Amino acid sequence: KVTASLPPTRGYSRVLESKHPYDDNEDVYTEVSFPGARKLKLVFDKRSATEHDCDYVFIYKDNSRTEKWGTKYTGRVDGNDKVWPGVNLPPLIVESDHCVVYFHSDGSNTDWGYHLTV
């Protein structure tokens, strides 16, 4: 009989969110860091909604903001264009212990915004 024990793991989480509803003309960068973590799991709340393609969230790999994890996350609650990890896509897995969450809104039309658990 082989018995193996796994080391204990500890899960931490952090919630990031916009105002509800968010304001026009926002450009907000938020650094997320869990030193020593092997990966991060990002899950958006099902209420997350933005003006399609005009207001959006990007997940950058680091502060250089040159490479992204995933794609542009954007869309309204009542539209078929809503694309949010953990809602109608699998959660986004970031193979790192850090990332930068970027939220952009243009100068017209707002919606509920986003709520993200890392």
Side-chain angles (χ1 to χ4, degrees), residues 1 4 15 19 27 40 42 44 51 54-55 60-61 68 72 78 81 90 93 100 102-103 108-109:
K1 179 178 179 182
V15 172
K19 287 175 52 178
D27 285 295
L40 306 175
L42 284 67
F44 285 86
E51 182 186 11
C54 298
D55 305 338
Y60 286 107
K61 291 190 174 187
K68 299 179 197 89
K72 179 192 285 187
D78 58 354
D81 54 25
I93 303 300
V100 176
Y102 170 56
F103 176 66
S108 65
N109 300 321

Side-chain angles (χ1 to χ4, degrees), residues 46-49 74-77 79-84 87-88:
K46 65 183 178 183
R47 295 170 291 179
S48 296
T74 183
R76 293 193 185 274
V77 171
N80 291 327
D81 54 25
K82 188 175 175 192
V83 181
W84 300 101
V87 176
N88 56 350

Side-chain angles (χ1 to χ4, degrees), residues 8 17 38 41 50 57 76 81 87 91 98 111:
E17 61 187 313
R38 288 181 289 148
K41 180 169 126 179
T50 61
V57 174
R76 293 193 185 274
D81 54 25
V87 176
H98 65 276
D111 210 314

Side-chain angles (χ1 to χ4, degrees), residues 14-17 28-33 63 99-103 114:
R14 179 174 175 192
V15 172
L16 305 174
E17 61 187 313
V28 180
Y29 294 89
T30 306
E31 188 171 355
V32 177
S33 179
N63 280 320
C99 63
V100 176
V101 176
Y102 170 56
F103 176 66
Y114 78 95

